[in-house]
């Protein structure tokens, strides 16, 4: 099995402090992912839903008001390794 690959096609790119996002992540080999990760993670809760297929995966990101503005890297962990990283910019 290969590592997950995330598509940037419908990635939101920007969020505001205090936002809560229900995302549908798209790509390949997503069923094997075990967690969604964010760095720097201070003030961001990330939760990955159960897999319903190999090309889509739902995740929730909650951005608190004490999250520092700026670029964050978001990716999926799996037994085969990390997916590519997507950039999410947190704005005030």
């Amino acid at each position: 099995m290969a590592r997950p690959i995330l598509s940037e096609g419908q990635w939101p790119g920007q969020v505001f402090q205090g936002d809560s996002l229900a995302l549908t992540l798209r790509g390949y080999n997503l069923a094997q992912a075990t967690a969604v990760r964010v760095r720097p993670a201070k003030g961001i809760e990330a939760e990955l839903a159960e897999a319903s297929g190999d090309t889509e995966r739902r995740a929730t990101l909650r951005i608190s008001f004490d999250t520092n503005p700026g670029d964050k890297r978001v990716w999926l962990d799996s037994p085969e390794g990390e997916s590519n990283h997507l950039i999410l910019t947190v704005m005030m």
Side-chain angles (χ1 to χ4, degrees):
M1 190 56 82
R3 68 184 181 92
I5 298 171
L6 292 171
S7 170
E8 294 182 39
Q10 296 182 353
W11 183 245
Q14 297 178 340
V15 296
F16 289 92
Q17 292 168 320
D19 281 353
S20 182
L21 299 174
L23 300 170
T24 300
L25 303 172
R26 291 184 171 84
Y28 301 97
N29 307 318
L30 304 185
Q32 65 178 333
T34 56
V36 59
R37 303 286 186 207
V38 180
R39 293 290 181 265
K42 180 183 179 264
I44 300 177
E45 292 180 35
E47 184 179 324
L48 187 63
E50 292 295 319
S52 59
D54 207 33
T55 59
E56 285 190 355
R57 199 72 189 264
R58 294 206 180 268
T60 302
L61 297 179
R62 286 180 282 288
I63 317 298
S64 71
F65 285 103
D66 67 346
T67 301
N68 292 328
D71 289 346
K72 315 297 180 193
R73 292 175 292 122
V74 180
W75 70 93
L76 295 176
D77 271 347
S78 82
E80 297 297 323
E82 295 179 355
S83 72
N84 54 307
H85 293 199
L86 300 180
I87 300 297
L88 184 68
T89 303
V90 175
M91 300 171 31
M92 294 178 80

